[in-house]
Amino acid sequence: MALLDVRDLVVEFPTRHGTLTALSGISFSVDKGERVGIVGESGAGKSVAAFAILNLLSRPGRIAGGSITFEGQDLTQLSTQRMRAVRGNRISMIFQDPMMTLNPVLTIGTQMIETLKAHRDISEAEARRIAITRLGEVKIPSPEKRLDSYPHELSGGMRQRVVIAIALLTEPALIIADEPTTALDVTIQAEIMSLMLALCKSHGVGLILITHDLAVVSQVTQRVVVLYAGRVVESGETGRVVHNPVHPYTRGLLAALPGEAPPGARLTQIRGTMPSLNAIPEGCPFHPRCDYVQDRCRQAEPALDSLDGHLVRCVRAHELMAGQAA
Amino acid sequence: MNRLAVFFGSDFLYRFRTDPVAVGATVVLGLFVLAAVFAPWLSGMNPHDPAQIDIMNSEIPPVWQDGGAPAFPFGTDAQGRDLLSAILYGLRISITIGIFAVMVQMTLGIVIGLVSGYLGGKVDAFFMRLADIQLSMSTLMLAIVALAVFQAAFGAELFADMAIIMLILVIGIAEWPQYARTIRASVLAERKKEYVEAARVIGLSAPVIMVRHILPNTLSPLLVISTVQVANAIISEAALSFLGLGMPVTKPSLGSLISAGFEYIFSGSWWITTIPAIVLIVLILSINLLGDWLRDVLNPRLYKG
Amino acid sequence: MSEAAAMTRDSGRESGGAPAADRPLVEARHVVKHFDLGGHFLQRERPTVKALNDVSITIRRGEAFCLVGESGCGKSTLARVVMGLLDPTDGEIRFDGTRIDALGHRARKPFHRRMQMIFQNPYASLNPRRTVQQTLEEPVRFHFPKLSDAEVKAKVEQVMVSVGNDPGWGNRYPHEFSGGQRQRISIARALMVDPDFVVADEPISALDVSIQAQVLNVMMDTRERLDLTYLFITHDLSVVRHFGSRVGVMYLGTLCELADTKTLFETPRHPYTRILLSAIPRVTTEEMQPPGLPGEVPSAMNLPSGCVFHDRCPLANARCSAEVPKPQSQADGTLVACHAVEEGRG
Ligand SMILES: Nc1ncnc2c1ncn2[C@@H]1O[C@H](COP(=O)(O)OP(=O)(O)OP(=O)(O)O)[C@@H](O)[C@H]1O
Ligand SMILES: Nc1ncnc2c1ncn2[C@@H]1O[C@H](COP(=O)(O)OP(=O)(O)OP(=O)(O)O)[C@@H](O)[C@H]1O
Ligand code: SF4
Ligand SMILES: [Mg+2]
Ligand SMILES: [Mg+2]
């Protein structure tokens, strides 16, 4: 059984201009210890998916349909009380901005020890010992001393490591990381992503890595879900998706990367921009930007097709897979 | 057209329509302004014209009291002036002084604030110290000194003629630091933005950048403090008039009316001072409520947080 | 239009004497920039951010010179000093042979026209209260006051079309556009005055991948078509490989390596460059590896002695912590500032 199973999740934001459907029925699952990437452009709904799983949607957002099954229980049906026992305990979250997690007026140590004591019945000394171990695991030099530091005394990369240490404190089954390294330099990104990769493996923790960087996803995750305008357009084993993408959007994203083209050549660009959620085109939501568009694409929204385990939402999926589409 | 549309973006109007306090304050304020503008047509008499005043009509109570006369809905004052007419004309003077004094403040404040914020360094330090010094003394104190000196130097007669202009100038000059500080703060914030650097890259001169690029982006905070400042100016004027340093009794503002009626309050003629006071309070309240609302709406930090 | 175009071309060559094709277009010589952070007036040593410490670069005509390095290493500061937005603490800036850092406002005007800039943040680089038309007309009217309204309008339209924008956008305000569209409007603004040299400070970092390609394509097209010279700042090395002709790698306010793009990617020499290149994420199923860069970037207020990289460098020795390495020219023209490379220890 999957650790996390998201089925037909619909998230809506009622606004005074009408209801925005940020996620229109997305499904994916994460097995125990599995690392899954969620990629897509800004506004595709990646963060909304993460917040929905943790039941942390900002108002007026609400889950309007579907289920989120985690360790056998449907999170959408849990009481606030029981949800609190899951969030930050069985599922941890890492945000792009470490200060979303860290409290600026408390020392790192206080925050770590309080988090532990909130979820475990342990002594102060025991909590302290665990905190030091975790800080050591994220390669923070002299962790005993760092316990007494305030967040502002640390650099951005260092703070993000502390956040990872906090995320690991309660030995969660799943970590959701929303663009954890987007604001950081490449060397620090490599440091932190390789660290997370190693820790997820050694602790057997599942990971949902949200990012718009396909390169990072390819080097960290085992499976990937590509979101476009609140829909899953492609998902499958990471190697397969990045090396043999089928959906025109995924192909476009990969082709647009400068690293993939010969130097100086024009980059393949996806024309136009992602539609806003209250003006999603009829039929396939990608059709106005698609190079493979046909008449039938404009008529009905294609279903998510399975091509032996590789899911693609495109009417021409079979042709594209076989390399016949022009 | 388009410019207005941006400024009053649909969100602004929506928030306005759905806020009863804002709508209420605007309606009340609107009525006051209309009353002030159309005072000559709304009043039963011209209270500034001695020929129309009959001393025999003095201290008639409002209509709803015994002895009231329908010709004088709010009664009359000690000189026999129709109180309603006096209030309408007084409102006119008070609002005029408020608006013009704020225009003086704004002009001084914008120029000093822009220069200070954009140039920084010694210029900035000089003006801001000056502002600190001026703010450490109250507006009233400065105004009292200035007006008293003027009155003593040029005599009460000339003073009575020049009172409006003097009040506008004195209140205007005394309060520039409020504007200068606000503008300077927004200039400091705007100056860091890349569109200002883009203007410098083009090669535009500092004055052009300040006026064409930075100033229009500091208008929101300006609008917010302007409401508060108009209210403050009206209060300052009322206070000065109450102290006898403002509008003469022959051309009373709301403040002079309150002041003139004050000595009669214990002799039973409570209305002479109370009714203008209520008008002043409601006027100030409506301006301030509107100002608060504007501040909430236009300050994104407050409503996004 | 042809008249306007001719005019802009003419005045393009008015200063700096005869255009010498082999003369570098832009030179920064031994540029030092320190920011004083106020501090108490009784303090003997005021806190100073040493953002640039003796940086020299030479940008040749027609090339796309890229500047890379981690956040805070001084890339934007160098760009601003070159553009005259900041005064250098020491050193000089030359444009087409003329020293420009000490010029007065008036004398600088022709250089303002020839040097333009594109900024990082598409949401802050356009004045929110001005229409696209106003924004685009302003530089033309300022530098070519003699042009008629019709000529200015024609110029705006021509440039808008050339960067792939709809010329009908003129009456709209920046907030009505997406990040990529705004960035293309910014590019149009820079191109309005037919510059020779354009500084682009992380012009695509704030954009989505699919939009980055659009903007990068526009920049490459215009570079070829208008014979532009670019100073392109980025921290994305895959963009450098694609776009750049030469690259300068910076670390903590100093230049560590300056090489042709191809050479740099094939044979990185400076130890920092090597680590930086190894850290670029690639589309591959190989798992991400730690880059092997211990510790943290030191503070620019308290620079390490000797080589600024020595306390994190795998090849450091005693000399590195004592002596500042000078940029040394290699056989292939690459400049490297590293004792280990000089001594052949790498
Ligand atoms: N509180 C909210 N009210 C209304 N709409 C919202 C709200 N939060 C998110 N949305 C909408 O939901 C959509 C998805 O947003 P989301 O934050 O998930 O994007 P994302 O994929 O995480 O993008 P990014 O890469 O920019 O973080 C967006 O179009 C956004 O406008
Ligand atoms: N106006 C300023 N006042 C004080 N310090 C400054 C100022 N501008 C830049 N600095 C400092 O100078 C150093 C170099 O900054 P700069 O902006 O040039 O870096 P950068 O390489 O462009 O980084 P990024 O990739 O983050 O844009 C940094 O330490 C920065 O904090
Ligand atoms: S369904 Fe049609 S429009 Fe949509 S991605 Fe496939 S080919 Fe393109
Ligand atoms: Mg997000
Ligand atoms: Mg920068």
Side-chain angles (χ1 to χ4, degrees), chain A residues 115-126:
Chain A
T115 308
L116 263 174
K117 285 168 79 179
H119 293 288
R120 298 258 186 300
D121 188 19
I122 53 173
S123 70
E124 177 94 14
E126 177 71 2

Side-chain angles (χ1 to χ4, degrees), chain A residues 22-33:
Chain A
L23 294 177
S24 348
I26 66 161
S27 304
F28 65 91
S29 64
V30 182
D31 284 333
K32 191 170 177 314

Side-chain angles (χ1 to χ4, degrees), chain C residues 75-76 120 201-202:
Chain C
K75 307 182 294 292
S76 302
Q120 172 172 8
D201 189 355
E202 313 221 15

Side-chain angles (χ1 to χ4, degrees), chain B residues 138-240:
Chain B
S138 78
T139 307
L140 274 182
M141 202 170 93
L142 283 174
I144 289 171
V145 173
L147 292 173
V149 168
F150 185 86
Q151 210 167 12
F154 297 96
E157 202 138 313
L158 183 62
F159 182 81
D161 289 342
M162 301 277 292
I164 286 204
I165 294 174
M166 285 306 297
L167 283 168
I168 289 174
L169 284 180
V170 164
I171 299 174
I173 291 171
E175 293 255 313
W176 67 266
Q178 313 282 357
Y179 274 95
R181 283 186 161 187
T182 310
I183 294 275
R184 175 177 171 272
S186 359
V187 171
L188 288 181
E190 293 297 319
R191 194 181 61 167
K192 287 201 203 84
K193 296 198 181 154
E194 292 170 346
Y195 73 86
V196 176
E197 298 211 315
R200 291 179 59 202
V201 164
I202 292 172
L204 301 180
S205 64
V208 174
I209 295 178
M210 283 190 252
V211 173
R212 201 188 285 167
H213 288 278
I214 298 185
L215 185 58
N217 285 294
T218 58
L219 290 181
S220 314
L222 213 62
L223 193 65
V224 173
I225 59 166
S226 291
T227 52
V228 179
Q229 287 300 93
V230 169
N232 283 349
I234 292 176
I235 293 177
S236 299
E237 182 279 328
L240 290 169

Side-chain angles (χ1 to χ4, degrees), chain C residues 35 37 49 51 70-77 202 300:
Chain C
F35 292 102
L37 295 184
V49 178
E70 297 188 45
S71 179
C73 70
K75 307 182 294 292
S76 302
T77 305
E202 313 221 15

Side-chain angles (χ1 to χ4, degrees), chain A residues 13 15 20 22 41-48 58-60 179 212 277:
Chain A
F13 288 92
T15 69
L20 278 183
E41 286 177 70
S42 186
K46 307 182 296 291
S47 301
V48 166
S58 64
R59 280 191 299 161
E179 317 233 12
H212 54 257
L277 292 176

Side-chain angles (χ1 to χ4, degrees), chain A residues 16-17, chain B residues 11 14:
Chain A
R16 63 191 167 81
H17 304 294
Chain B
D11 216 44
Y14 173 83

